[in-house]
Amino acid sequence: MAFYAISTLPIIRSLANQEFDPVTETFKQAWFADDASAAGKLMGILKWWNKLVDIGPKYGYFPNPSKCVLIVKNESMREMANEIFGKYGIQITTRGQRHLGAIVGTPEYREEYIKKKIQEWKEDVKTLASIAKAEPQGAYSAMVFAIQHRWKFTQRTVPEISEYFKELEYEIHNTLLPAIIGREISELEREIIALPVRLGGLGIPMPDKESKHEYEASRLITHSLKEVIISQNLMETCSKKVIANAKNTMKMLKGKRHKHTYCQLLIKLDSSTKRSLEMAKEKGASSWLTTLPLDWLGYTLNRQEFRDSIALRYNWKIKDMPAHCGCGNENNIDHSLSCKKGGYVILRHNNIRDTTAKLLEEVCYDVQIEPRLIPI
């Protein structure tokens, strides 16, 4: 892709260096690899197009009018555009068009486009929820590492669309997360889940609340690139240092925002859940969530194991847990993990023992685990 972009530089320079009337033939061009676009006066765009058609084939670049779209502001300009560009077979519209994954056009077209995408993403979430009923760990990983990134680009490139994402958040809250966790969740629990994994959450943010922040971050990071496009100075380039500083600034602001949300949540939580959340943010406590469920490495958890692990993470009640322990006391997570008669203490000991033995077998011979003691 980079080499292809470099190969288009002679075309870009030729288009920029041609003579034009500064009043009636102004235009600005932008390229991304072989995707060319221009904005300006109709006569300026016409001159840019004719020059592109003329010199493009010399460099192996063949513009296809049937794939090109001209967006004009109103119907009166559309009539003029038809007179000028009609013979080329270029599509002319006053509504808008998808461009490089984002959209350019009227607010009505933007609304129509976003609503259509939201419906597609809702179907993705529903499909994932049906998978989560049998494979919650796989569905969770798919959501965190793939699905939720599908709408991030749109959030970063299209302004004022937070309201449209409320439908998607409703689907995540009421369909996907209950299928993953195994029960309905409250508003407060949804806020916990929305936290980054490093702060004790599950890393599934609320898209309606993140949309505005994603767009603001994108504007700041791409500001220097925007200025270069507006100036049309081919000798000017974006400073990598400026972009890196912008990214670091947004990363710092995002971290502060999450930290503030975390502190606000601690105020709302009871002492038990608060302690669990503080423990979940300890270093290494969330490694099992950020690891891909690779079966050949033994990283997969079955449905019950995964849901019980999440319940243990937040001190939530485990489904189908006996009301009373074998020792006769009332049963809960804290008691079951400490009661020597219940068996969980021995199970934890044995898991550590077996894991250590398995690792030692890689480098040592004749590794054996401790034998069972004969009952007294």
Side-chain angles (χ1 to χ4, degrees), residues 61-303:
Y61 188 89
F62 298 90
N64 186 346
S66 63
K67 293 184 178 181
C68 298
V69 179
L70 176 64
I71 305 172
V72 293
K73 292 182 178 180
N74 50 52
E75 286 297 328
S76 61
M77 290 190 67
R78 183 172 184 168
E79 293 177 5
M80 188 186 304
N82 277 321
E83 293 177 6
I84 298 173
F85 291 92
K87 61 182 179 181
Y88 297 105
I90 295 173
Q91 304 173 55
I92 301 173
T93 179
T94 58
R95 299 183 69 244
Q97 178 65 27
R98 182 176 178 271
H99 179 59
L100 295 177
I103 52 172
V104 178
T106 62
E108 293 76 17
Y109 180 78
R110 180 180 65 189
E111 180 179 2
E112 179 185 321
Y113 176 85
I114 294 299
K115 284 183 175 180
K116 182 180 178 182
K117 297 300 291 184
I118 292 291
Q119 290 302 317
E120 292 176 6
W121 295 327
K122 283 170 65 178
E123 290 302 316
D124 291 340
V125 169
K126 289 178 182 178
T127 301
L128 203 58
S130 65
I131 297 171
K133 293 176 182 178
E135 295 291 341
Q137 186 188 23
Y140 168 77
S141 296
M143 180 64 180
V144 171
F145 295 112
I147 299 296
Q148 68 182 12
H149 295 287
R150 291 184 178 178
W151 48 80
K152 281 192 179 295
F153 183 81
T154 302
Q155 290 177 330
R156 291 169 180 171
T157 54
V158 185
E160 301 174 359
I161 56 174
S162 298
E163 283 294 317
Y164 304 115
F165 279 93
K166 287 185 177 180
E167 289 185 34
L168 181 61
E169 166 55 24
Y170 180 86
E171 207 67 51
I172 294 171
H173 186 164
N174 296 282
T175 305
L176 178 61
L177 293 179
I180 291 175
I181 295 171
R183 63 169 180 82
E184 299 294 325
I185 61 170
S186 66
E187 291 292 338
L188 186 58
E189 289 170 341
R190 177 66 182 103
E191 291 182 47
I192 294 173
I193 291 170
L195 286 172
V197 174
R198 69 179 181 279
L199 292 179
L202 293 182
I204 304 178
M206 302 177 187
D208 57 325
K209 293 185 178 180
E210 288 293 312
S211 181
K212 179 182 177 182
H213 300 299
E214 290 289 343
Y215 182 73
E216 290 174 350
S218 177
R219 285 198 61 171
L220 177 64
I221 293 170
T222 59
H223 177 75
S224 59
L225 176 60
K226 180 191 72 174
E227 293 300 319
V228 171
I229 294 174
I230 292 174
S231 71
Q232 294 287 288
N233 186 349
L234 297 180
M235 300 305 294
E236 186 179 353
T237 58
C238 295
S239 170
K240 291 183 178 180
K241 186 176 181 180
V242 171
I243 294 175
N245 289 338
K247 286 182 178 180
N248 290 333
T249 300
M250 293 313 303
K251 187 176 181 180
M252 180 187 67
L253 293 174
K254 187 175 183 179
K256 287 183 177 180
R257 189 174 77 250
H258 287 154
K259 187 68 176 178
H260 175 73
T261 304
Y262 172 80
C263 294
Q264 291 297 111
L265 267 177
L266 290 182
I267 299 173
K268 302 177 186 178
L269 300 175
D270 58 73
S271 59
S272 177
T273 308
K274 179 180 177 180
R275 182 181 62 188
S276 298
L277 191 61
E278 289 173 339
M279 292 175 63
K281 70 185 283 285
E282 292 293 326
K283 186 176 180 180
S286 303
S287 299
W288 64 281
L289 285 170
T290 56
T291 302
L292 289 172
L294 303 175
D295 188 49
W296 64 281
L297 288 175
Y299 293 162
T300 54
L301 300 173
N302 62 40
R303 178 173 57 185

Side-chain angles (χ1 to χ4, degrees), residues 24-40:
T24 61
E25 296 179 344
T26 57
F27 69 88
K28 295 182 185 296
Q29 61 176 335
W31 288 66
F32 181 78
D34 62 336
D35 285 315
S37 58

